[in-house]
Amino acid sequence: MPGQVVEKVPWDHVELSVGEVAARSGVTVSALHFYERQGLIFSRRTTGNQRRYRRDVLRRVAFIRVSQRVGIPLARIGAALDTLPADRAPNVRDWERLSTAWRADLDVRIEQLEHLRDDLTDCIGCGCLSLSRCVLANPHDALGDDGPGPRRLLVAPAADDDGP
């Protein structure tokens, strides 16, 4: 929402409407509804059937957005949020614990991106598609023996610790 003037949500509002959460968090109302359907955030309904969010939902939405930005899938974000107390926003210690658990996955992604960057200028027949016609980089489709997909660009996945 760059360039848009957003009315500041008063600091003493304990509960926020969906529009106030959207305005303050920079997330669309439809994204908030989606997060709620996925069980990532929660609201209560007023007698008029309007959503009301506790103010700490702003921290949870920020947590979701940052996690998504570094490539953490929503399922893992949800599992991580499930480990947090429901009565408060995630704090620094919570984030340190969760980000440490994700470090190995991020290291694998970084290694994969480095391989992609370094090998990007090679010919398409480098084994990325297990093409059998490249006699220089992949004679007799030798890379195809290692399995499907972009063999030279793949990096071994991190050991999954089943934690968020």
Side-chain angles (χ1 to χ4, degrees):
M1 300 180 191
Q4 181 181 3
V5 176
V6 177
E7 186 175 322
K8 189 170 182 172
V9 178
W11 67 269
D12 59 347
H13 279 198
V14 176
E15 288 190 321
L16 307 173
S17 70
V18 68
E20 289 173 323
V21 173
R24 178 62 181 88
S25 67
V27 173
T28 64
V29 169
S30 61
L32 294 171
H33 291 172
F34 175 76
Y35 292 159
E36 192 167 354
R37 282 193 308 275
Q38 298 302 307
L40 302 173
I41 61 173
F42 304 95
S43 67
R44 73 169 185 86
R45 297 293 183 130
T46 66
T47 55
N49 201 32
Q50 295 177 334
R51 287 177 168 92
R52 290 294 182 262
Y53 296 92
R54 289 185 0 193
R55 190 171 191 84
D56 61 46
V57 78
L58 293 171
R59 177 82 48 93
R60 292 176 82 84
V61 171
F63 178 88
I64 293 165
R65 291 186 73 200
V66 167
S67 301
Q68 285 182 301
R69 188 166 197 158
V70 298
I72 305 300
L74 278 180
R76 292 208 60 198
I77 295 169
L81 289 171
D82 287 345
T83 69
L84 300 175
D87 60 341
R88 67 169 173 80
N91 61 31
V92 172
R93 278 187 307 237
D94 295 326
W95 178 248
E96 286 173 354
R97 178 178 51 83
L98 296 175
S99 62
T100 297
W102 293 338
R103 184 174 291 280
D105 287 346
L106 293 174
D107 288 343
V108 167
R109 283 198 192 108
I110 289 167
E111 188 177 350
Q112 248 178 337
L113 287 170
E114 287 173 344
H115 281 286
L116 178 60
R117 178 200 63 212
D118 296 344
D119 295 340
L120 194 58
T121 56
D122 289 350
C123 70
I124 192 65
C126 69
C128 292
L129 303 176
S130 294
L131 297 175
S132 59
R133 64 179 184 229
C134 181
V135 296
L136 298 175
N138 188 17
H140 308 293
D141 193 24
L143 293 174
D145 294 340
D146 294 335
R151 303 314 310 162
R152 288 195 176 167
L153 298 179
L154 292 178
V155 176
D160 191 359
D161 62 352
D162 292 330

